[in-house]
Amino acid sequence: MKLRRACRSESGSLISLHSNNPCMWFQVARAVVATLILLATSEVFAVRRERTITTWRPLHYSVNITLNDRLSQIVSAETAVEVLVLKKLETIDFDFGDLTTDRVAIDDSPVRFSHRNGSLVVSTPKPLNPGTRITVTIAYHGEPKDGLILTKDKDGRPSAIGDNWPNRVHQWIPSLDHPSAKATVTFTVTTAPGQLVVANGTLDRVETVPNGNRIWTYNETVAVPPYCMIIAVGDFARLQPLSSSGYSLSYYVPRSDDAVAEKGFSSAAPALQMFSQLVAPYPYEKLALIVGATRFGGMENSSAIVFTPTLFNRNGNADVSRTFGIPRGTVSLVAHEIAHQWFGDSVTESTWSDLWLSEGFATYFAGLFLQKHDGEEAFQNYMQSAAEKYFAYEKKMLTPVFDPETEDLFKLLNPNNYEKGAWILHMLRSRLGDEKFFRGIRTYFQAHKNSVASSEDLRAALEQASATNLRPFFRRWVYDSGHPKYDVTWSWNKKRRGVTIQLSQVQDGDLFEDPVEILLVGPKSSRTITITPRVKQTVQFVSSNEQPTRIQIDPRGLLLKEVRIKG
């Protein structure tokens, strides 16, 4: 998601609960317990406050929007929200921006409401008991200040594009605006003739009314996080690739990108195929790739990804994919956003502290896609670049990957959640082996598909698949900060015929207990040994028939680390 290194807060305590999946109650409770344990043991005092789902949750949104011909204003809109009451209540509080609210009804009966400061509070005619289901319908109009971007495309033609991350959907849809508030959605969009509409889910129908306008209806039957609910309207060129590997794949691009879109998106179908085989079948009904307004490099809206207008701009200095013949950065970006369809969209982070389960996964799986299609060297370069970005970030900001404190949610779009998150997965894969690691990933996905998950849920799935205790690893890499910095000295003992190696960890903070491979390179042969640190300074003697000419720490690139060697 959002390859811009740039995130959400509301009133309440630590977590929200939204899904039609009954298992989510247990999952969210686990996330709360894990967070409380973390806070109790790490002396964290300033905790970010997130929107809590305590009294109600949305089940389904029906969003009916009419836009003017210039796509500069919502002429009229009506959002009907199917609500499940969780606790006895007399008001329902929606997140809602600055649009003008015209009326509110519950089950078609008008009710009182108050709309100010981004909150729409709806009064119920009588107290509602837990388990009650009602439909709240809100009519409104105006020009949203964010969320639905009313602008012009790169060719100067009007466009309207949803761009909601992290919590901007409430600027144009009254909602419970937290990632765990997953729900199904129906969009009905009325536009001028000649404009195309794409949204989440499948196109149910297009109707032409007497004045020539068209009404488009899309249904998303899978619960998705609110930041992934979008429409895209404009004078698009619509293309379908010659080969989509059996998936319902299409491209919506500005007219000027018509000739380059199929080549530019040529890695999309192989990415869909690879991730479907590696993890699980693609979780949505179709996939539309859209070029339009977004503040990010890409935004992974469920089944309707939006990419920046500059996506197909060529950079003469860019590395080119040997398989697809387009910039390797474009290949990795498209793979990143498609990987999000599984991780972030289908399996959604329980809280913002678990954002790495979205961004770290997408970053790493994009690397796996490069590894398969462009080779091991491209993958190693990709991971090394990720490490360098993280090291540079850590020099300025030392925080855990699981970050319960940062208030500005856009600041969570950082190398901790992207690059270090990817490296955490790479180190887990290296430690467990491919078979156990990917079995654990599949177990994790199936257990939390169309629901939410926490870092503890991932740990449990990988432990189940590998019969390995990963608590120490998660405690140090996910819930603590930093990375190992090794100072290594070695010397040849001619009399004893061997090498003395001193491995010291010089980083601030606690020990990293990860096994360290060391390659001894001699004139005639090489050998690899492994040191598993139990203290910050480890000395080991290694017998050898010949004096090494050099040694190499972590020769296969399995650890996120910095190294200084003295011979």
Side-chain angles (χ1 to χ4, degrees), residues 46 315 403 476:
N315 179 349
D403 176 0
R476 191 65 186 91

Side-chain angles (χ1 to χ4, degrees), residues 202-224:
T202 54
L203 178 61
D204 182 59
R205 61 190 180 275
V206 182
E207 304 169 77
T208 301
V209 294
N211 66 359
N213 286 348
R214 291 194 288 180
I215 303 174
W216 304 69
T217 301
Y218 280 84
N219 284 314
E220 178 53 83
T221 60
V222 177
V224 298

Side-chain angles (χ1 to χ4, degrees), residues 296-368:
F296 311 109
M299 178 58 215
E300 68 274 17
N301 315 295
S302 308
S303 78
I305 300 169
V306 177
F307 293 93
T308 176
T310 61
L311 179 67
F312 300 132
N313 291 6
R314 296 305 296 261
N315 179 349
N317 298 321
D319 290 337
V320 175
S321 165
R322 72 182 190 191
T323 300
F324 302 106
I326 58 177
R328 193 166 283 156
T330 302
V331 173
S332 62
L333 172 59
V334 171
H336 179 109
E337 303 306 330
I338 290 177
H340 267 309
Q341 303 296 297
W342 284 263
F343 304 108
D345 294 6
S346 183
V347 178
T348 304
E349 59 276 12
S350 298
T351 71
W352 288 114
S353 300
D354 292 300
L355 182 60
W356 78 280
L357 298 177
S358 176
E359 299 303 346
F361 265 85
T363 303
Y364 189 57
F365 274 68
L368 295 180

Side-chain angles (χ1 to χ4, degrees), residues 55-256:
T55 58
W56 68 278
R57 63 185 175 101
L59 301 177
H60 180 77
Y61 292 87
S62 292
V63 184
N64 190 325
I65 288 183
T66 298
L67 297 162
N68 65 359
D69 292 351
R70 300 185 308 278
L71 301 183
S72 61
Q73 193 172 39
I74 297 174
V75 175
S76 64
E78 188 174 273
T79 293
V81 187
E82 185 181 348
V83 168
L84 174 64
V85 178
L86 302 177
K87 291 184 179 180
K88 190 170 184 176
L89 56 76
E90 297 181 2
T91 60
I92 302 172
D93 56 325
F94 291 90
D95 301 311
F96 196 32
D98 295 335
L99 294 173
T100 300
T101 300
D102 299 314
R103 63 186 181 279
V104 178
I106 294 180
D107 294 337
D108 297 326
S109 297
V111 294
R112 293 182 295 110
F113 64 90
S114 171
H115 184 191
R116 62 173 65 91
N117 299 325
S119 179
L120 175 66
V121 179
V122 178
S123 299
T124 64
K126 62 180 180 180
L128 300 178
N129 294 318
T132 303
R133 294 192 182 205
I134 61 171
T135 298
V136 182
T137 303
I138 301 111
Y140 53 98
H141 70 278
E143 182 180 348
K145 69 178 184 181
D146 204 349
L148 183 63
I149 310 303
L150 306 178
T151 184
K152 295 184 184 297
D153 69 13
K154 64 187 294 185
D155 299 335
R157 296 182 174 95
S159 75
I161 308 284
D163 192 48
N164 301 319
W165 199 93
N167 57 342
R168 296 184 287 139
V169 72
H170 72 274
Q171 299 291 351
W172 62 289
I173 301 176
S175 55
L176 206 162
D177 202 352
H178 187 275
S180 64
K182 301 180 76 168
T184 54
V185 60
T186 298
F187 281 107
T188 302
V189 184
T190 301
T191 66
Q195 292 170 341
L196 295 184
V197 176
V198 61
N200 310 101
T202 54
L203 178 61
D204 182 59
R205 61 190 180 275
V206 182
E207 304 169 77
T208 301
V209 294
N211 66 359
N213 286 348
R214 291 194 288 180
I215 303 174
W216 304 69
T217 301
Y218 280 84
N219 284 314
E220 178 53 83
T221 60
V222 177
V224 298
Y227 65 69
C228 285
M229 297 178 181
I230 74 143
I231 61 173
V233 185
D235 184 18
F236 295 113
R238 183 182 186 274
L239 302 92
Q240 287 189 282
L242 296 176
S243 173
S244 60
S245 303
Y247 300 100
S248 179
L249 179 63
S250 56
Y251 313 143
Y252 291 78
V253 301
R255 295 286 177 181
S256 60

Side-chain angles (χ1 to χ4, degrees), residues 266-298:
S266 58
S267 60
L272 273 171
Q273 185 174 29
M274 174 180 168
F275 300 150
S276 293
Q277 293 172 348
L278 194 60
V279 182
Y282 178 65
Y284 300 106
E285 305 91 338
K286 65 101 174 44
L287 180 59
L289 304 184
I290 306 158
V291 172
T294 174
R295 67 173 62 186
F296 311 109

